[in-house]
Amino acid sequence: MMKREPATSELVPGAAMISDLKTLRILWREAFQAFGYDESHCEALFFDLHIQTRVLRLNDAIVGVSMYRRTDYSVELIALLVAEKYRRQRVGHRLLEALISESIQRQLKFIKLHTAVQNVVARSFFEAHGFRVEQEDGQYPRGQRAIAYHRLL
């Protein structure tokens, strides 16, 4: 009997391990290099004790990553990365829903994040998940404008 591959909705994000760093750097480069954040920034966040890094695995392969910082009352989503092969398969949704659920359980008040103004796909994704625009808020190292979002919990 052939083993069924689990649906992404059945997967649960887990803590990233040091052995995941090579894959994390590749996903980071694909997503953020155009904005001026190189792989060393990913590595610095990975080793920052205040940043949580969660990975979603499918058959031992990392298909998605979330990086975030919690405070006593909120969460800042720093990165939500999905391997190109797994985009549009609800991997980002699964990662974000896990973060929202954990934040509600911890009785946090809101989640905040930034994305590029011109990143229409990301903006649509976050807006579909209940995030609202706060304001244009600064820019990335290569000059792209950033926009701040938040979602009350």
Side-chain angles (χ1 to χ4, degrees), residues 126-146:
F126 290 118
E127 289 170 13
H129 285 85
F131 285 82
R132 299 294 168 244
V133 172
E134 281 185 19
Q135 63 187 6
E136 277 197 37
D137 187 17
Q139 63 185 23
Y140 291 95
R142 291 220 172 116
Q144 299 96 331
R145 294 177 316 173

Side-chain angles (χ1 to χ4, degrees), residues 16-22 24-25 39-53 67:
M17 299 177 285
I18 190 75
S19 59
D20 297 329
L21 193 53
K22 181 179 178 183
L24 297 179
R25 289 172 64 111
E39 298 154 28
S40 65
H41 193 75
C42 172
E43 194 167 309
L45 290 169
F46 181 83
F47 287 111
D48 185 324
L49 297 177
H50 301 288
I51 305 294
Q52 304 290 314
T53 303
M67 299 177 96

Side-chain angles (χ1 to χ4, degrees), residues 25 27-42 45 78 114 139-142 144 146:
R25 289 172 64 111
L27 291 173
W28 182 275
R29 181 179 349 127
E30 291 172 357
F32 293 117
Q33 188 172 30
F35 297 98
Y37 293 118
D38 65 15
E39 298 154 28
S40 65
H41 193 75
C42 172
L45 290 169
I78 297 166
H114 288 84
Q139 63 185 23
Y140 291 95
R142 291 220 172 116
Q144 299 96 331

Side-chain angles (χ1 to χ4, degrees), residues 106-119:
R106 291 177 179 270
Q107 300 181 337
L108 301 178
K109 305 294 182 209
F110 63 92
I111 299 174
K112 61 183 178 177
L113 62 93
H114 288 84
T115 193
V117 170
Q118 73 269 24
N119 191 343

